[in-house]
Amino acid sequence: MSNRRRFLKKLGLLSGSVALTGTIGSKVLAQEAKLKVNQNKSIVLSTWRHGLAANDKAMETILNGGSSLDAVEQGVRVPEADPNVGSVGYGGRPDRDGHVTLDAAIMDAYGNAGSVCFIENYMHPISIARKVMEKTPHVILSGEGAEQFAQEQGFEKKDLLTERAKKDWESWKKKSNYKTEVNVENHDTIGMVALHNGEIVTSCTTSGLAYKMHGRVGDSPIIGAGLFADGEVGACAATGVGEYVLKTQTSFLVVELMRQGKSPEKACIIALQRIKEKYLDKNPDQAFQIGLIALNVSGDYAAYSLVPGFQYAIYHKGENVLIDASSIVK
Ligand code: ASP
């Protein structure tokens, strides 16, 4: 029995009518399991207030017959297109040289992942990341190469610097004082994790830290740091100052802890504790936030942050609500 078939059997998803497909290159094809949509079993969790609208779209996608992967792609496209969200896609804050450079990644339940980073002039990096996953032998494309690929795939170019973001940048330039702020919309990635039809997946998209150095890439497009999914265990996505998430491989760690039997909440707490001990305690003057969302294959979920102020949106059993996450530093 193939791993894939064994996996589906374990989840109780295998029936005679499910058509299994093979592999293309190193990629496992996610096949269509023709199962009934059970909204009560579908969960979508995402970061910050803009997660509410993203969750709505994700659940609508599921109810219209989409997969969990379709849901996390379509969901995060909402803040990507919203000029009023200053931390994602169109309307995102630029780097210190005035360029809006974006990072995004997506990971399915079968170990496939795609990502773009340091990409300019494309409103939906999440959809380009999905194409990287599905149409290339690679995982990450960056900068000009990612833009060339986007153009070849027919994505439309767009100037993403809005008047509002430009004005804010111009006033920031007067002092050019670079420092990360806690829970201020100078960052705030949308990260999303979803479970539907037994498939647990994740996505993440951001303009990164406002006024970052030109060329800076954060945690969001890095598999294992800003996001990670393992179809047999669970998924995690992160937001906050990506440098700390990169240095601790936070999302991978959370999923590994869940694999060892920890609940999503306990796994988030342990991962945040690591960041606190390694970085915050040694440099208490440095204020920064890290927020995590995690979900396991049984449908247990949690969100937790380093310091107070992180909010997450949860869509489950017909309700989509915004909740204040608990934090390890009170
Ligand atoms: N994690 C993102 C980055 O460092 C920003 C954020 O989520 O706030 O690029």
Side-chain angles (χ1 to χ4, degrees):
M1 193 186 278
S2 70
N3 285 343
R4 166 83 201 138
R5 184 172 269 270
R6 209 173 290 126
F7 170 61
L8 279 176
K9 197 169 176 206
K10 195 167 154 190
L11 294 176
L13 295 183
L14 200 57
S15 77
S17 64
V18 177
L20 288 179
T21 53
T23 57
I24 289 184
S26 61
K27 293 184 192 248
V28 182
L29 285 181
Q31 71 280 39
E32 290 301 306
K34 299 264 179 273
L35 297 168
K36 264 187 142 179
V37 175
N38 179 344
Q39 203 189 349
N40 287 349
K41 283 199 171 159
S42 306
I43 303 176
V44 180
L45 197 61
S46 60
T47 56
W48 303 110
R49 173 173 290 278
H50 47 231
L52 283 172
N55 282 3
D56 273 336
K57 184 69 189 177
M59 198 53 87
E60 180 193 314
T61 303
I62 284 171
L63 294 175
N64 285 333
S67 65
S68 54
L69 198 67
D70 296 330
V72 298
E73 178 194 359
Q74 293 303 320
V76 303
R77 281 173 61 101
V78 174
E80 278 185 341
D82 186 344
N84 296 315
V85 176
S87 50
V88 181
Y90 180 51
R93 301 258 156 75
D95 65 19
R96 58 188 61 181
D97 299 335
H99 300 272
V100 181
T101 70
L102 306 178
D103 299 335
I106 192 162
M107 188 161 192
D108 74 10
Y110 309 103
N112 300 309
S115 153
V116 288
C117 59
F118 190 45
I119 185 169
E120 278 186 66
N121 297 315
Y122 287 93
M123 186 139 88
H124 292 299
I126 195 63
S127 297
I128 305 168
R130 183 168 177 180
K131 292 274 186 221
V132 172
M133 177 172 91
E134 291 175 343
K135 301 236 179 266
T136 81
H138 306 305
V139 173
I140 305 180
L141 291 180
S142 70
E144 271 179 36
E147 287 157 26
Q148 191 185 318
F149 174 71
Q151 193 177 3
E152 285 161 13
Q153 292 297 314
F155 288 92
E156 213 179 292
K157 273 189 116 166
K158 178 160 180 70
D159 181 359
L160 302 179
L161 186 63
T162 57
E163 270 315 304
R164 177 181 151 196
K166 192 168 169 212
K167 262 201 198 129
D168 288 350
W169 167 60
E170 278 161 353
S171 66
W172 173 83
K173 268 202 302 184
K174 289 183 191 138
K175 282 197 186 152
S176 299
N177 176 21
Y178 182 76
K179 83 172 171 35
T180 54
E181 290 174 61
V182 176
N183 303 320
V184 172
E185 212 202 48
N186 66 347
H187 51 80
D188 291 358
T189 298
I190 176 122
M192 184 178 272
V193 292
L195 175 66
H196 169 60
N197 270 355
E199 292 184 318
I200 197 154
V201 299
T202 178
S203 67
C204 199
T205 176
T206 188
S207 49
L209 300 182
Y211 319 132
K212 61 194 174 186
M213 289 174 71
H214 187 58
R216 182 262 187 191
V217 169
D219 59 315
S220 307
I222 306 302
I223 311 305
L227 76 173
F228 195 73
D230 182 320
E232 297 190 49
V233 179
C236 175
T239 177
V241 179
E243 279 69 10
Y244 300 104
V245 176
L246 280 165
K247 288 186 280 196
T248 51
Q249 289 294 293
T250 311
S251 294
F252 179 75
L253 176 60
V254 168
V255 174
E256 280 310 292
L257 288 163
M258 292 195 289
R259 187 193 303 282
Q260 290 162 20
K262 300 281 187 289
S263 68
E265 182 174 278
K266 188 73 188 152
C268 289
I269 291 171
I270 295 172
L272 290 164
Q273 198 64 35
R274 175 109 26 117
I275 295 175
K276 179 178 175 293
E277 281 161 17
K278 263 187 158 341
Y279 301 104
L280 191 62
D281 291 351
K282 291 191 179 137
N283 193 0
D285 298 337
Q286 163 87 49
F288 64 90
Q289 176 64 295
I290 307 288
L292 302 177
I293 52 173
L295 176 63
N296 68 19
V297 282
S298 311
D300 305 320
Y301 63 85
Y304 230 90
S305 62
L306 187 64
V307 295
F310 173 52
Q311 294 184 307
Y312 68 102
I314 167 79
Y315 201 140
H316 187 34
K317 297 189 176 163
E319 262 195 300
N320 187 19
V321 287
L322 188 69
I323 296 181
D324 291 327
S326 303
S327 56
I328 60 164
V329 177
K330 301 295 171 198

